[in-house]
């Protein structure tokens, strides 16, 4: 594989969910810059999630009788599952893979849990709409979304009883980072966000009667600040650009940040007034992005792993709940981050249990086999399963996946050698052992299943 193609494969592994043979046909004659332009152009399409048709006011149901409550809770669980599966399908099939990849990044940056699937969908669409847009707009809309207002208790933030939860996470996790503010800044900025809330229809509402209109001193500035003013002050600090770029670098380039490269990214981000698209254009065209030490060195997140497999082999699931079981087994359930800091990522994705599933899932899916999820059932499901006496079926699951092998093989170039096929599927160099395995292979399908079941396939 020539270096140009190797770099494009690396680009698709990071800016998307991996290079398919179908993509290869489209980009093999392009320069890296042209391939970046293509990914950016395809990302212009915004395909909102709309699987949740409307808002259910769960407070009404909590006041109802036990039977109605039970029906509501089952409906709530179904909506959460539907939203999750809908997004996995979107990531698995969309041509706007850079937009979905960035939506996934912001999903973890603005980690949020809500039991209201309508609010979760609303937040997901905000992150998708502004995934490559302006960070300030994204931050403002996220901050005013019912899901985040509820999750970080800003709905309860009132002038006589300020709640510091949102203000603290805004600085520590969303913008400027630790050691760049004081405890006094947290208290003062919390006062600025008093009165922020939302209506029962999920619309943001500023409530003047609950807002603290007095002067606040924040990051050495004093004034009658509202929440928007606090966000403006935070974005005026270049530390915010550096904090976001450091996180992007660790996600897209290398877990060990280079101060020089992060600062160069922050210069682009800050001077463009936090426009995300120019920053990504700079990042994906930088020579250092394609340095050998930055290729094949990141562990795929569980969702990247599942989606990459789905995209490469055009997989559809007769029982979509299997996808949720994969997420649980691997440690990343969409819309259900462990806490407001999100999934830590990197080497934390792998332990002895998850590695076993990672190596087993591809061959099970591609062969339509059975996989044992013992000990990985969701606790909430477990209670439901116990009542319906289907526990055995729930933990030992026939995957029931359909793989479009005809489409997969049809896109492989006619003269591609087994080594060339392997180099498109894996993002790492080929060890002597793998090369030997590939050279001995006489069946492309069997070879491909072996390749996606290797530790090397876990890297991007």
């Amino acid at each position: 594989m020539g270096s140009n193609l190797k770099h494009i494969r690396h680009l698709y592994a990071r800016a998307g969910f991996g290079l398919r043979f179908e993509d290869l046909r489209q980009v093999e004659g392009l320069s890296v810059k042209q391939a970046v332009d293509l990914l950016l152009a395809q990302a212009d399409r915004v395909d909102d999630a709309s699987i949740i048709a409307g808002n259910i006011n769960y407070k009404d149901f909590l006041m109802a009788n036990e039977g109605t409550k039970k029906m509501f809770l089952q409906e709530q669980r179904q909506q959460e599952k539907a939203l999750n599966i809908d997004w996995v399908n979107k990531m698995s099939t969309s041509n706007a893979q850079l937009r979905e990849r960035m939506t996934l990044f912001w999903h973890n940056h603005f980690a949020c849990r809500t039991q209201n699937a309508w609010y979760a969908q609303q937040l997901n669409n905000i992150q998708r709409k502004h995934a490559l847009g302006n960070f300030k707009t994204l931050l403002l809309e996220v901050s005013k979304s019912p899901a985040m207002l509820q999750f970080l208790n800003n709905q309860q933030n009132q002038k006589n009883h300020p709640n510091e939860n949102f203000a603290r996470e805004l600085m520590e996790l969303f913008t400027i980072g630790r050691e760049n503010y004081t405890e006094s800044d947290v208290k003062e900025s919390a006062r600025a966000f008093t009165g922020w809330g939302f209506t029962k229809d999920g619309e943001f509402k500023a409530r003047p009667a609950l807002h603290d209109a007095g002067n606040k001193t924040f990051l050495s500035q004093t004034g009658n600040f509202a929440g928007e003013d606090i966000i403006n002050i935070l974005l005026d600090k270049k530390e915010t650009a550096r904090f976001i770029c450091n996180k992007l670098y660790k996600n897209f380039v290398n877990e060990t940040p280079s101060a020089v490269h992060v600062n160069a990214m922050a210069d682009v981000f800050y001077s463009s007034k936090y426009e995300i698209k120019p920053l990504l254009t700079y990042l994906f065209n930088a020579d250092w992005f394609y340095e050998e030490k930055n290729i094949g060195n990141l562990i795929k997140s569980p969702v990247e792993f599942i989606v990459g497999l789905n995209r490469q082999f055009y997989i559809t699931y007769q029982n979509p709940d299997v996808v949720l079981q994969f997420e649980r087994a691997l440690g990343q359930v969409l819309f259900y981050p462990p806490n407001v800091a999100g999934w830590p990522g990197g080497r934390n994705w792998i332990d002895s249990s998850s590695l076993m599933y990672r190596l087993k899932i591809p061959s099970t899916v591609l062969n339509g086999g059975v996989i044992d999820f013992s000990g990985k059932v969701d606790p909430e499901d477990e209670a439901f399963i116990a009542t319906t006496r289907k526990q055995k079926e729930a933990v030992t699951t026939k995957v029931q996946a359909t793989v479009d092998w005809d489409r997969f093989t049809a896109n492989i170039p006619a003269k591609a050698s087994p080594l060339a096929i392997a180099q498109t599927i894996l993002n790492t160099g080929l060890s002597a052992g793998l090369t030997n395995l590939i050279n001995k292979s006489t069946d492309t399908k069997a070879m491909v299943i072996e390749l996606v079941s290797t530790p090397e396939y876990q890297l991007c």
Side-chain angles (χ1 to χ4, degrees):
M1 181 177 283
S3 61
N4 191 61
L5 205 47
K6 178 180 176 181
H7 291 168
I8 289 176
R9 182 189 64 191
H10 174 59
L11 171 68
Y12 272 70
R14 299 292 172 83
F17 299 97
L19 183 70
R20 299 173 299 180
F21 288 101
E22 182 179 334
D23 302 317
L24 182 62
R25 285 177 174 272
Q26 202 172 10
V27 301
E28 60 186 345
L30 302 183
S31 66
V32 170
K33 182 180 182 307
Q34 287 171 325
V36 172
D37 290 344
L38 177 63
L39 279 170
L40 288 166
Q42 290 172 331
D44 283 342
R45 180 183 172 87
V46 182
D47 185 14
D48 278 348
S50 57
I51 191 84
I52 309 300
N55 188 14
I56 299 175
N57 190 345
Y58 67 90
K59 288 183 180 176
D60 294 342
F61 286 89
L62 292 178
M63 295 171 66
N65 60 48
E66 286 303 313
T68 305
K69 278 185 195 175
K70 186 176 178 183
M71 285 175 57
F72 167 71
L73 291 173
Q74 288 180 352
E75 173 64 17
Q76 189 181 48
R77 291 286 297 151
Q78 288 305 314
Q79 285 196 344
E80 288 173 3
K81 288 181 180 181
L83 183 62
N84 186 316
I85 292 165
D86 182 66
W87 191 16
V88 171
N89 288 339
K90 199 183 295 294
M91 287 188 277
S92 300
T93 57
S94 173
N95 279 332
Q97 54 180 312
L98 175 55
R99 181 168 295 277
E100 294 304 323
R101 186 74 173 70
M102 285 302 297
T103 305
L104 185 61
F105 174 81
W106 297 123
H107 181 69
N108 195 35
H109 181 75
F110 295 111
C112 178
R113 283 191 200 174
T114 173
Q115 292 180 319
N116 185 312
W118 170 255
Y119 294 162
Q121 177 175 270
Q122 197 179 36
L123 180 57
N124 182 246
N125 282 334
I126 289 170
Q127 291 164 349
R128 178 172 293 105
K129 178 182 177 183
H130 301 294
L132 283 81
N134 184 274
F135 178 72
K136 176 182 173 181
T137 309
L138 171 64
L139 175 61
L140 266 172
E141 291 200 18
V142 167
S143 303
K144 292 182 175 181
S145 69
M148 192 59 80
L149 287 165
Q150 195 176 59
F151 183 53
L152 293 181
N153 312 111
N154 216 26
Q155 178 87 330
Q156 290 84 44
N157 190 12
Q158 303 176 11
K159 61 182 177 183
N160 295 324
H161 301 283
N163 187 307
E164 299 165 7
N165 203 7
F166 173 75
R168 187 179 305 281
E169 308 306 357
L170 171 69
M171 282 178 271
E172 179 179 335
L173 299 172
F174 300 165
T175 56
I176 202 166
R178 286 179 181 173
E179 299 178 3
N180 290 307
Y181 59 91
T182 66
E183 194 60 26
S184 173
D185 290 323
V186 173
K187 294 181 184 302
E188 291 291 281
S189 59
R191 292 174 55 213
F193 288 103
T194 48
W196 280 28
F198 59 92
T199 67
K200 65 178 183 179
D201 298 322
E203 297 291 330
F204 172 77
K205 184 179 182 181
R207 297 166 295 180
L210 303 179
H211 179 65
D212 182 340
N215 276 349
K216 299 102 183 170
T217 298
F218 177 69
L219 293 178
S220 305
Q221 296 187 45
T222 300
N224 177 15
F225 298 137
E228 292 87 346
D229 300 315
I230 297 297
I231 286 176
N232 285 336
I233 293 170
L234 285 167
L235 296 185
D236 282 342
K237 299 286 184 184
K238 197 168 182 183
E239 286 84 355
T240 294
R242 200 171 291 118
F243 179 78
I244 301 298
C245 289
N246 191 66
K247 205 164 180 179
L248 279 163
Y249 188 94
K250 291 177 72 173
N251 194 275
F252 287 99
V253 185
N254 196 310
E255 272 206 85
T256 305
S258 155
V260 172
H261 299 157
V262 170
N263 284 336
M265 289 171 65
D267 286 344
V268 173
F269 201 28
Y270 191 74
S271 64
S272 71
K273 300 186 185 304
Y274 290 92
E275 288 294 332
I276 299 164
K277 192 171 181 177
L279 172 62
L280 295 179
T281 303
Y282 170 77
L283 170 64
F284 296 135
N285 281 298
D287 289 342
W288 45 261
F289 179 77
Y290 300 95
E291 287 178 357
E292 202 62 38
K293 66 181 179 182
N294 294 328
I295 294 178
N297 65 329
L298 296 180
I299 297 170
K300 294 175 185 174
S301 73
V303 170
E304 290 163 10
F305 169 74
I306 295 165
V307 169
L309 200 65
N310 291 348
R311 289 181 69 88
Q312 183 69 272
F313 298 99
Y314 311 100
I315 298 167
T316 53
Y317 296 88
Q318 282 73 54
N319 175 13
D321 282 3
V322 168
V323 174
L324 292 171
Q325 288 179 298
F326 288 165
E327 292 180 18
R328 288 180 199 125
L330 300 179
Q332 188 183 26
V333 178
L334 290 171
F335 302 99
Y336 203 73
N339 51 52
V340 67
W343 293 277
R347 293 180 182 274
N348 294 291
W349 288 130
I350 299 285
D351 59 27
S352 57
S353 171
S354 64
L355 180 59
M356 180 193 75
Y357 283 117
R358 278 176 177 257
L359 299 179
K360 190 174 181 181
I361 284 173
S363 61
T364 308
V365 170
L366 298 182
N367 282 319
V370 174
I371 192 162
D372 183 359
F373 285 108
S374 299
K376 287 289 184 181
V377 177
D378 183 278
E380 293 179 41
D381 278 351
E382 212 162 31
F384 178 73
I385 289 163
T387 62
T388 55
R389 299 181 180 177
K390 291 181 179 177
Q391 189 165 4
K392 186 176 179 183
E393 289 84 350
V395 295
T396 305
T397 305
K398 191 173 192 312
V399 171
Q400 300 179 61
T402 301
V403 181
D404 194 340
W405 283 106
D406 289 341
R407 187 174 174 186
F408 172 77
T409 52
N411 281 303
I412 298 175
K415 295 182 179 177
S417 67
L419 277 175
I421 293 171
Q423 285 177 316
T424 302
I425 291 174
L426 300 179
N427 297 303
T428 61
L430 300 179
S431 65
L434 266 180
T435 304
N436 189 41
L437 182 152
I438 293 161
N439 286 334
K440 285 182 177 176
S441 175
T442 56
D443 182 284
T444 299
K445 182 177 167 182
M447 178 191 76
V448 164
I449 292 174
E450 287 210 55
L451 289 174
V452 296
S453 303
T454 60
E456 286 82 353
Y457 187 69
Q458 309 306 318
L459 300 172
C460 66

